[in-house]
């Protein structure tokens, strides 16, 4: 998906996604997250580079890939410090973890996810929805930052059926994510 948005340095494309394709991606991403939640799993790496898009136009298909950060949505996993479970969310100028919610990037209190357990992937999904409407990664980052602060001055064009309020909740406090 990252490449289909035209953001990849390795595989640039001139053929950007149209609104119908974006809506289909949102629908299929929603179905994938519901499936994972029904299975009691938290993906924790739900982002453009881990959504594989095949075909195009009316037949677009999305596949969720890279389950390497996926964990069981169980209480004992919330604060499990095992290197197998714990992720290093240390950011710098070249490495940004836009899809990871702020509560898991904080050093204290340490946690792998917050409650409700689906809040991590809902945050990531909110970031994805914003990215699908942005023309560039930097614009998406600015929009997410503003939405997290509930800045009402910026309205997103073509919101993919998400209201500004819903996106703000998805990117807000874990306990208030839909």
């Amino acid at each position: 998906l990252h490449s289909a948005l035209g953001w990849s340095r390795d595989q640039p494309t001139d053929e950007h996604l149209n609104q119908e394709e974006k809506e289909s991606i949102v629908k299929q991403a929603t179905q994938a997250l519901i499936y994972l939640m029904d299975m009691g799993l938290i993906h924790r790496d739900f982002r453009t580079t881990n959504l594989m898009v095949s075909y195009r136009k009316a037949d677009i298909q999305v596949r969720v890939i890279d389950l390497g950060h996926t964990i069981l949505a169980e209480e004992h996993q919330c604060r499990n410090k095992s290197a197998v479970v714990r992720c290093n969310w240390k950011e710098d100028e070249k490495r940004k973890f836009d899809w990871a919610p702020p509560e898991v990037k904080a050093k204290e209190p340490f946690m792998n996810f917050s409650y409700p357990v689906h809040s991590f992937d809902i945050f990531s999904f909110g970031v994805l929805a914003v990215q699908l409407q942005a023309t560039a990664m930097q614009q998406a980052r600015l929009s997410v930052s503003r939405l997290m602060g509930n800045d009402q001055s910026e309205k997103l064009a073509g919101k993919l059926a998400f209201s500004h309020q819903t996106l703000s909740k998805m990117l807000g406090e874990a306990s208030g994510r839909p």
Side-chain angles (χ1 to χ4, degrees):
L1 179 58
H2 201 73
S3 177
L5 287 169
W7 296 351
S8 175
R9 284 177 257 133
D10 300 330
Q11 301 170 339
T13 180
D14 293 329
E15 204 177 323
H16 295 288
L17 297 167
N18 63 40
Q19 191 65 20
E20 183 181 353
E21 290 172 320
K22 291 176 183 180
E23 289 169 4
S24 181
I25 289 167
V26 166
K27 181 179 178 181
Q28 291 179 60
T30 301
Q31 292 167 340
L33 283 179
I34 290 169
Y35 177 80
L36 289 170
M37 285 179 210
D38 287 347
M39 299 295 288
L41 299 172
I42 306 169
H43 191 279
R44 299 191 311 156
D45 204 11
F46 199 82
R47 58 188 172 128
T48 58
T49 55
N50 289 334
L51 296 177
M52 186 172 62
V53 176
S54 57
Y55 308 109
R56 289 299 299 265
K57 309 298 178 214
D59 295 326
I60 197 164
Q61 292 184 2
V62 177
R63 301 287 185 260
V64 178
I65 60 173
D66 192 355
L67 300 173
H69 290 300
T70 303
I71 61 173
L72 290 171
E74 296 177 345
E75 188 174 346
H76 72 278
Q77 296 289 23
C78 183
R79 299 199 189 279
N80 186 339
K81 291 188 178 186
S82 164
V84 176
V85 175
R86 188 176 185 175
C87 294
N88 179 5
W89 301 113
K90 187 176 178 184
E91 295 181 312
D92 57 36
E93 285 300 313
K94 294 186 181 205
R95 287 181 23 179
K96 298 285 184 193
F97 302 108
D98 301 325
W99 69 95
E103 64 268 14
V104 300
K105 293 192 278 186
K107 290 183 182 190
E108 295 295 328
F110 163 76
M111 64 181 64
N112 291 310
F113 62 87
S114 189
Y115 291 94
V117 294
H118 64 274
S119 66
F120 191 121
D121 287 340
I122 293 298
F123 180 92
S124 302
F125 185 59
V127 171
L128 173 67
V130 171
Q131 289 174 335
L132 283 168
Q133 294 307 305
T135 55
M137 180 63 83
Q138 217 34 52
Q139 179 196 8
R141 286 183 173 145
L142 183 59
S143 294
V144 166
S145 177
R146 288 181 175 159
L147 284 162
M148 287 176 67
N150 291 318
D151 181 348
Q152 298 294 316
S153 66
E154 181 179 11
K155 300 293 182 188
L156 295 171
K159 296 179 211 149
L160 295 171
F162 292 110
S163 70
H164 187 84
Q165 182 179 10
T166 299
L167 284 171
S168 290
K169 284 183 179 181
M170 292 170 81
L171 299 169
E173 292 294 320
S175 62
R177 293 184 193 136

